[in-house]
Amino acid sequence: MNNIFTNNIKKIEFDALIVGGGGSGMRASLELAKSGLKTAVVSKVFPTRSHTVSAQGGITCAIASADPNDDWRWHMYDTVKGADFIGDQDAIEYLCSEGPKAVFELEHMGLPFSRFENGRIYQRPFGGQSKDFGKGGQAARTCAAADRTGHALLHTLYQNNVKEGANFLNEWFAVDLVKNSKDEVTGVIAFSIENGEVAYLKAQATVLATGGAGRIYASTTNALINTGDGLAMALRAGFPAQDMEMWQFHPTGIYGAGSLVTEGCRGEGGFLINKDGERFMERYAPNVKDLAGRDVVARSMVLEILEGRGCGDKNDHIYLKLDHLGAEVLNSKLPGICELSRTFAHVDPIYEPIPVVPTCHYMMGGTPTNISGQAFTRINDKDHLIPGLFSAGEAACVSVHGANRLGGNSLLDLVVFGRATGKHIQSELKSGGGVDSATKSDIEKSLERLNKLNDSSNGHDPADVKKELQECMQNYFGVFRRGEFMKKGLDQLSELKEKVDNLHLKDKSDAFNTSRVEAIELQNLFEVAESTAISAYQRTESRGAHARDDYPDRDDENWLCHTIYDPISKKVSKRGVNFEPNKVEAFPPKVRTY
Amino acid sequence: MFGNKLKVSLYRYNPEEDKFPYMKNYIIDKPERDIMVLDLLHLLKEEDQSISYRRSCREGVCGSDGMNINGKNGLACITPISSVIKRNKIELRPLPGLPVIRDLVVDMTEFYAQYEKIKPFLQNETTAPEQERLQSPEERDKLDGLYECILCACCSTSCPSFWWNPDKFVGPAALLQAYRFLADSRDLKTQERLEALSDPFSVYRCHGIMNCVNVCPKGLNPNKAIGEIKSMLHKNKKDIIVSDGV
């Protein structure tokens, strides 16, 4: 791949272009494929290799199967509380009230949900779930296909996209957004991984559905491909990111390997023990114990370890005990977990506990959008829609998860907002909406990064720089944070910036050059890491997943708000949280205990 | 022979540089702990950026990194090197039978085409209820061992019948999915699905060699599913003859 000029690249035009072939991207695409608009999904992997496939425990939704009296308002209450009150209540209301429709649609598409005796969809208890607005005890609201719900969901969506004849540009990698002079988004520059062909994919609507970026941390449950490509493209184009300090550490990643062990294990009756065999969550969350919010459980585990009660030779992990559930339950409800722990922890959960440790899992922040998936920027402290740009799923921050996501809400987020985005684009484009064309120089700007990498004859080794970046984030921006340490991390990041801008791509070949992809992914990771670090340093309180030693309390007076990170000034500003749902009274902030 | 060293013999082919593929040997220190074959590839790639392979979830659920490891197809990310080292040596090749794009990356177009051919989606044109369609746990149990396929292609590319007729024989992976929909109580196109499979090639090129069962990294049994399809086809044929007679 030599220097690419605008004159010699192919232009392919679409009505709508979806970047990312995971749950939200394929749900949006399904909506658009049925509409007759010219749509394509650009995915750097074959769609069923997307990270949605790794989701295990289920999709939380008040379909009133386990409990015929279940109510989406209870789900909404739990989500607002789980978010530590900085989730937007209009969006959470939409998520929980539209959810049942979206889940039933998945079932109609063929998703092989597990079943109750009466033939309805099986639901299991998950953390942070309650009946009657926290007053009626534990709810069982997570719809499951054994412990392979993400796999079942992603394959079902792909299958239905095949049915509807959707277009896929598989193993194409999107490099950067193209913007016109009015700051409207007009598509992306992308290249075929298979043969290196570069193209300008022009679109009236561009959807970033690129998922999370857990790979900014050294230890993560995320797939190797989770590098925040879409969010980073938006940041490079000068568009903001919201709530980037909010990263969920899942209580149960397999010690040493990072693979996820679903919260469904605790939902089915498993619990955590320390080296003394004590069920320590009884001390931290006396009411719901192991099914408290993930942030609460993860912090409790780290405290146990810090206080010397961790398990193993180094006292550096915790045990997840499942053997008391019996082989039958484990084999029928948690077969994937049994397989994973045998492979990666060398233990059989039927007989022994699984060694686990809190592990980076989910990005609550992302490109800010409204409930129709329309991305916005901030001008004079007001939301200002970005024509042509949309986002959904983990890449977006709509925001339904606020400071801490509840288990099972991510899959619901994907399908509800992927669907809403698809529907919105359809009506917008059919009523004549769209964006102006980009000029040659606009397109050239978006080619700069790729060209620089292709021209590099010396510089830093991407593999080394990536390790440094991940170690830095792990050390200074993990489960517990402190101002002085984060300052060190920020200094290290500014040193890394120079390296990230000057990577050496040794292999310049065109055929399936994964080194080129990895170098660009590293630059994307850096964008996300930098926005995380700066936002985390600025938020001087503890809320949800953001826990600071130096500011241990929640500070509603100053921080009951979103943070907005501006990539140009690298400054953080505040944005109000929505407390105006349409169908119910807002839930006011209160002390969050489990 | 190599002491504390490990010899990795890797299939290399870059269409821009190589006229023919070749095996390249890498001698590395034996890792201190048991690692997966995928981790081994990461180590090699840190030394030699030009090595190409697919990977994503690194935990055996996405199906990206199917390859031929010491002669047997498997997923690199869940195959511990201890289970495959022979005389301090590991040989890694692309999945057999498909065109090679580069190194361990194969062109899976034909494999996906067979998958699409079996109409891998639920077909039920009746008006959907407001809630879910009901399915008993017993009916749902019939999908276990079928829906879990990750499309890694380890089975189809180990199948001599698929090597021989990749365009006409549907292959074990797609046939497993064909049966997944035949077995689903909610799917109403049983007859059409069977008719589409009734030619001499689609199903009947399976001769029960069982390589598919032997290599499936998810422990699935395509051969059993193919047997079920064959008996459904057989029964279907008899039913048609009987009804013709009436």
Side-chain angles (χ1 to χ4, degrees):
Chain A
M1 200 186 281
N2 292 319
N3 223 324
I4 315 291
F5 297 104
T6 337
N7 291 340
N8 52 20
I9 66 168
K10 191 153 101 182
K11 183 166 88 177
I12 314 175
E13 293 196 42
F14 299 96
D15 296 316
L17 185 71
I18 294 152
V19 187
S24 66
M26 285 211 285
R27 187 61 191 80
S29 139
L30 188 58
E31 212 57 49
L32 289 159
K34 287 190 277 193
S35 74
L37 291 169
K38 191 179 175 197
T39 311
V41 176
V42 190
S43 177
K44 63 180 177 180
V45 293
F46 183 77
T48 63
R49 326 283 184 215
S50 306
H51 186 55
T52 305
V53 83
S54 292
Q56 298 170 349
I59 176 166
T60 302
C61 188
I63 60 161
S65 169
D67 171 7
N69 299 316
D70 200 10
D71 191 319
W72 65 263
R73 293 166 193 87
W74 301 348
H75 180 199
M76 177 176 173
Y77 166 83
D78 292 343
T79 305
V80 169
K81 179 185 170 190
D84 220 346
F85 300 95
I86 60 161
D88 287 326
Q89 298 203 8
D90 57 341
I92 297 175
E93 177 185 56
Y94 185 81
L95 175 84
C96 300
S97 60
E98 282 289 299
K101 249 186 258 171
V103 168
F104 292 138
E105 279 168 6
L106 288 171
E107 195 283 332
H108 299 153
M109 286 180 212
L111 200 156
F113 281 111
S114 302
R115 302 286 172 156
F116 282 122
E117 277 307 321
N118 65 4
R120 294 207 60 192
I121 293 171
Y122 173 76
Q123 291 184 295
R124 60 163 57 110
F126 249 53
Q129 291 179 356
S130 75
K131 297 180 183 186
D132 197 17
F133 308 105
K135 293 178 296 227
Q138 176 74 40
R141 194 174 290 131
T142 302
C143 312
D147 57 357
R148 303 188 177 99
T149 316
H151 170 280
L153 185 148
L154 189 68
H155 280 253
T156 301
L157 284 177
Y158 180 67
Q159 291 163 351
N160 280 269
N161 270 278
V162 168
K163 182 181 177 189
E164 299 298 338
N167 295 312
F168 286 94
L169 289 169
N170 290 334
E171 296 185 329
W172 273 69
F173 188 83
V175 181
D176 265 311
L177 293 173
V178 178
K179 278 196 310 182
N180 65 21
S181 56
K182 288 156 73 184
D183 256 3
E184 298 171 332
V185 173
T186 67
V188 299
I189 294 295
F191 64 86
S192 154
I193 299 173
E194 183 178 335
N195 61 25
E197 181 187 21
V198 180
Y200 166 33
L201 307 177
K202 186 182 171 201
Q204 299 299 319
T206 303
V207 185
L208 302 175
T210 48
R215 288 282 153 184
I216 63 171
Y217 288 96
S219 169
T220 173
T221 63
N222 283 195
L224 292 156
I225 60 170
N226 283 25
T227 52
D229 303 332
L231 174 57
M233 285 194 279
L235 287 167
R236 266 194 304 274
F239 301 128
Q242 179 170 271
D243 294 341
M244 288 308 296
E245 66 279 25
M246 299 303 179
W247 282 86
Q248 178 165 82
F249 286 77
H250 195 290
T252 55
I254 292 180
Y255 172 68
S259 303
L260 173 68
V261 176
T262 177
E263 187 169 308
C265 290
R266 284 170 283 137
E268 297 288 349
F271 54 84
L272 297 162
I273 52 175
N274 61 19
K275 73 166 182 188
D276 305 322
E278 185 206 3
R279 186 176 181 183
F280 58 88
M281 280 312 297
E282 289 176 339
R283 274 189 277 121
Y284 295 95
N287 294 321
V288 297
K289 304 178 184 99
D290 296 80
L291 288 177
R294 286 179 178 173
D295 54 333
V296 175
V297 180
R299 274 194 294 278
S300 309
M301 292 168 73
V302 172
L303 286 174
E304 286 299 299
I305 293 168
L306 290 175
E307 288 167 12
R309 291 188 294 277
C311 307
D313 297 341
K314 294 183 194 157
N315 302 111
D316 61 351
H317 55 272
I318 295 292
Y319 282 140
L320 172 62
K321 186 174 145 53
L322 296 175
D323 58 301
H324 57 285
L325 300 178
E328 203 187 310
V329 168
L330 291 176
N331 287 331
S332 65
K333 299 289 190 331
L334 302 164
I337 292 307
C338 294
E339 208 178 298
L340 276 174
S341 40
R342 284 173 203 133
T343 308
F344 288 103
H346 309 292
V347 301
D348 188 335
I350 293 172
Y351 308 104
E352 293 168 275
I354 311 174
V356 292
V357 69
T359 305
C360 168
H361 183 56
Y362 188 85
M363 174 174 89
M364 269 79 73
T367 299
T369 71
N370 63 17
I371 57 174
S372 303
Q374 294 174 282
F376 58 80
T377 184
R378 297 278 286 174
I379 296 176
N380 297 328
D381 285 333
K382 288 213 171 73
D383 296 351
H384 182 87
L385 292 177
I386 305 163
L389 189 65
F390 300 79
S391 186
E394 192 172 344
C397 181
V398 53
S399 124
V400 288
H401 310 305
N404 172 62
R405 173 172 72 74
L406 289 188
N409 268 355
S410 59
L411 291 184
L412 189 65
D413 174 5
L414 302 186
V415 292
V416 166
F417 292 103
R419 176 177 177 269
T421 305
K423 283 186 194 293
H424 176 87
I425 291 174
Q426 204 175 315
S427 67
E428 183 176 312
L429 295 187
K430 287 194 168 164
S431 61
V435 291
D436 290 353
S437 292
T439 62
K440 222 169 100 174
S441 72
D442 294 331
I443 300 168
E444 242 145 52
K445 235 188 234 165
S446 304
L447 282 163
E448 271 171 16
R449 191 163 69 113
L450 189 57
N451 280 333
K452 182 170 177 187
L453 200 58
N454 289 333
D455 282 343
S456 62
S457 54
N458 55 46
H460 301 275
D461 182 51
D464 295 341
V465 179
K466 185 154 97 186
K467 274 186 200 160
E468 274 184 66
L469 175 68
Q470 292 171 331
E471 289 301 326
C472 172
M473 293 307 291
Q474 191 78 28
N475 291 339
Y476 301 117
F477 302 94
V479 175
F480 283 105
R481 298 161 175 183
R482 185 183 297 176
E484 50 183 308
F485 290 149
M486 287 196 280
K487 187 78 192 42
K488 272 190 201 164
L490 282 165
D491 291 344
Q492 203 179 328
L493 284 177
S494 24
E495 283 167 34
L496 273 170
K497 171 85 178 137
E498 186 272 332
K499 295 186 183 174
V500 169
D501 286 342
N502 294 289
L503 295 175
H504 182 202
L505 178 68
K506 286 183 205 142
D507 181 3
K508 303 284 202 299
S509 59
D510 283 340
F512 224 97
N513 184 340
T514 52
S515 291
R516 177 180 288 120
V517 172
E518 286 176 25
I520 301 172
E521 287 176 335
L522 169 59
Q523 294 176 333
N524 293 341
L525 286 173
F526 184 83
E527 296 286 347
V528 177
E530 191 180 38
S531 64
T532 297
I534 292 174
S535 306
Y537 186 69
Q538 289 299 324
R539 188 183 277 274
T540 48
E541 65 155 353
S542 289
R543 180 186 300 272
H546 179 63
R548 288 186 63 151
D549 291 345
D550 47 354
Y551 295 92
D553 298 320
R554 196 173 85 186
D555 175 4
D556 283 350
E557 203 174 307
N558 294 300
W559 289 105
L560 186 66
C561 63
H562 297 292
T563 56
I564 294 280
Y565 167 77
D566 172 10
I568 298 166
S569 65
K570 297 193 194 290
K571 293 238 159 63
V572 173
S573 57
K574 296 178 180 180
R575 176 174 174 260
V577 172
N578 180 292
F579 282 95
E580 292 171 352
N582 296 308
K583 302 174 193 164
V584 292
E585 290 280 307
F587 297 103
K590 59 175 190 179
V591 178
R592 181 168 166 254
T593 51
Y594 284 103
Chain B
M1 191 177 168
F2 297 101
N4 286 326
K5 301 281 179 184
L6 182 65
K7 180 170 149 184
V8 187
S9 183
L10 186 64
Y11 181 101
R12 300 300 314 266
Y13 174 66
N14 179 348
E16 291 160 58
E17 290 165 11
D18 308 318
K19 245 185 172 164
F20 302 103
Y22 61 98
M23 298 302 291
K24 184 168 176 179
N25 292 327
Y26 297 82
I27 311 284
I28 62 161
D29 290 338
K30 222 186 222 175
E32 277 171 25
R33 55 187 186 93
D34 196 10
I35 60 173
M36 300 295 174
V37 171
L38 183 65
D39 302 321
L40 185 68
L41 279 165
H42 291 339
L43 291 176
L44 295 183
K45 190 167 171 70
E46 278 178 19
E47 299 305 312
D48 180 352
Q49 276 193 16
S50 74
I51 298 171
S52 192
Y53 50 91
R54 291 188 177 104
R55 85 286 181 279
S56 173
C57 76
R58 59 83 175 91
E59 58 188 19
V61 294
C62 80
S64 297
D65 61 352
M67 59 186 68
N68 189 270
I69 305 164
N70 272 358
K72 187 178 169 187
N73 291 352
L75 294 182
C77 61
I78 52 168
T79 304
I81 57 172
S82 64
S83 70
V84 289
I85 293 177
K86 278 183 200 151
R87 284 178 302 245
N88 281 340
K89 192 180 156 183
I90 293 183
E91 198 171 278
L92 301 175
R93 294 170 179 270
L95 289 174
L98 294 175
V100 174
I101 295 172
R102 175 172 176 175
D103 299 340
L104 300 174
V105 179
V106 291
D107 180 348
M108 295 179 63
T109 311
E110 240 162 7
F111 174 78
Y112 295 136
Q114 292 297 354
Y115 176 64
E116 290 194 16
K117 201 156 90 182
I118 61 100
K119 302 208 165 140
F121 38 82
L122 192 84
Q123 296 183 78
N124 183 331
E125 307 306 333
T126 61
T127 310
E130 243 173 66
Q131 299 189 332
E132 70 270 47
R133 290 195 165 97
L134 299 180
Q135 186 173 48
S136 71
E138 293 72 31
E139 288 168 334
R140 169 59 183 77
D141 282 351
K142 292 187 177 145
L143 309 183
D144 282 341
L146 306 172
Y147 82 96
E148 300 94 323
C149 171
I150 57 174
L151 300 176
C152 65
C154 284
C155 61
S156 291
T157 61
S158 71
C159 172
S161 291
F162 190 75
W163 296 338
W164 203 248
N165 295 112
D167 54 335
K168 296 201 205 82
F169 173 51
V170 170
L175 286 172
L176 188 77
Q177 291 316 296
Y179 185 60
R180 176 248 174 277
F181 289 101
L182 284 167
D184 195 321
S185 60
R186 301 168 296 172
D187 191 278
L188 301 181
K189 296 282 181 182
T190 306
Q191 196 56 36
E192 290 82 347
R193 288 183 187 279
L194 288 176
E195 273 163 27
L197 294 170
S198 61
D199 64 285
F201 281 90
S202 297
V203 179
Y204 288 108
R205 283 290 131 162
C206 168
H207 300 305
I209 298 166
M210 306 265 271
N211 282 359
C212 54
V213 184
N214 194 27
V215 299
C216 177
K218 305 307 287 182
L220 309 178
N221 190 333
N223 192 67
K224 185 162 171 264
I226 294 169
E228 300 283 357
I229 299 176
K230 282 182 179 169
S231 42
M232 284 177 93
L233 282 167
H234 186 65
K235 186 170 174 296
N236 197 42
K237 212 169 166 185
K238 275 203 306 203
D239 287 350
I240 291 171
I241 294 169
V242 171
S243 61
D244 279 356
V246 173

